[in-house]
Amino acid sequence: MPVIEFEPVNRQSTAEMIADRLRTAIMRGVLAPGAQLVEADLAAQFDVSRGPVREAMQRLVSEGLLHSIRHRGIFVIELSLDDVVDVYRARTAIEGGALELILDGRREIAYRALESSVSAMIGCAESGDAAGVSDADQAFHEALVDSAGSPRLIRAARTLFIETRMCLGALETTYTDVRIQVQEHVDLREAIGSGTPARARKLLVAHMHDAVERLRARP
């Protein structure tokens, strides 16, 4: 094999760092659904040339978090009810796959990993912090996928979790009592730790289905 000399590179490119910041802004609602991203303005804010900004935005277009409208520009996606339902269907498939890997020898790993998010949910519920419960809810599902030990599942779930976070504000309002939301996660964690595989699978699917039905019933 011939020797090829490559230039050293940073561990994280400028475009990648900008993409990370834009993802976070979208997830937290700083960049609201439907907001237009202007390349020149972002370049000035990040104090970089327009090239890395353009590359970062194209990455997010390919991930589905931004979309391009010809002759108009690039905008943050807006999620319809059908989009949200599809997000939860995709999450059911991915988290179901993660659960199968967990049930095949990683149950204790997952049980420990889910402890902090469940504790956070309980604490937030007791203080009446619905937004905190939703933050911990997301952390629970991220930990679930991480516990499977599959980098590809983690990558596949990343955009779905951001899209979920975009609609979690709506989901918060569907629980008249956040303790119900908390109990669903407590039960799922216990089933992962020591329940039958069939019960763990059933609870995960039921939890996802319940979220969709609550969103469908929202006025």
Side-chain angles (χ1 to χ4, degrees):
M1 177 178 177
V3 176
I4 303 174
E5 295 186 4
F6 291 104
E7 291 291 326
V9 296
N10 293 328
R11 293 183 64 86
Q12 188 177 41
S13 70
T14 300
E16 188 176 353
M17 288 188 286
I18 293 171
D20 283 345
R21 293 187 184 184
L22 292 176
R23 284 190 201 95
T24 300
I26 292 170
M27 180 176 67
R28 293 180 178 173
V30 176
L31 286 172
Q36 182 174 10
L37 276 65
V38 180
E39 187 179 292
D41 292 348
L42 288 173
Q45 290 181 50
F46 285 118
D47 193 23
V48 297
S49 66
R50 294 173 65 161
V53 173
R54 186 180 307 118
E55 181 182 340
M57 289 197 298
Q58 288 304 317
R59 288 188 186 197
L60 269 61
V61 168
S62 67
E63 292 174 11
L65 295 175
L66 301 177
H67 67 111
S68 178
I69 301 177
R70 187 175 178 83
H71 303 310
R72 286 189 56 198
I74 294 179
F75 300 82
V76 178
I77 61 167
E78 297 181 84
L79 296 173
S80 67
L81 178 58
D82 286 344
D83 291 326
V84 173
V85 170
D86 193 48
V87 165
Y88 274 90
R89 284 174 179 159
R91 280 188 53 188
T92 301
I94 289 173
E95 294 187 46
L99 180 60
E100 290 306 316
L101 293 175
I102 288 168
L103 294 173
D104 187 23
R106 302 180 66 86
R107 299 180 73 159
E108 184 58 34
I109 292 171
Y111 187 75
R112 290 196 305 269
L114 296 171
E115 180 178 7
S116 61
S117 56
V118 167
S119 296
M121 289 183 79
I122 293 171
C124 290
E126 289 175 348
S127 64
D129 181 4
V133 171
S134 287
D135 286 340
D137 182 325
Q138 176 124 343
F140 178 99
H141 291 278
E142 290 175 353
L144 175 67
V145 175
D146 288 348
S147 296
S150 168
R152 288 169 179 79
L153 281 178
I154 293 169
R155 285 200 301 269
R158 181 175 64 175
T159 299
L160 292 171
F161 284 138
I162 295 174
E163 291 179 315
T164 301
R165 193 66 188 88
M166 291 171 69
C167 67
L168 269 182
L171 189 57
E172 284 171 22
T173 64
T174 66
Y175 283 93
T176 55
D177 185 346
V178 292
R179 289 175 297 182
I180 298 172
Q181 185 177 359
V182 174
Q183 192 60 48
E184 290 178 5
H185 293 80
V186 170
D187 291 344
L188 179 54
R189 177 175 179 252
E190 291 304 317
I192 287 171
S194 58
T196 65
R199 175 167 170 75
R201 296 184 188 107
K202 180 180 179 179
L203 288 176
L204 177 63
V205 172
H207 175 61
M208 293 296 185
H209 178 73
D210 180 63
V212 170
E213 291 305 307
R214 287 177 182 276
L215 286 165
R216 284 188 189 276
R218 186 170 55 105

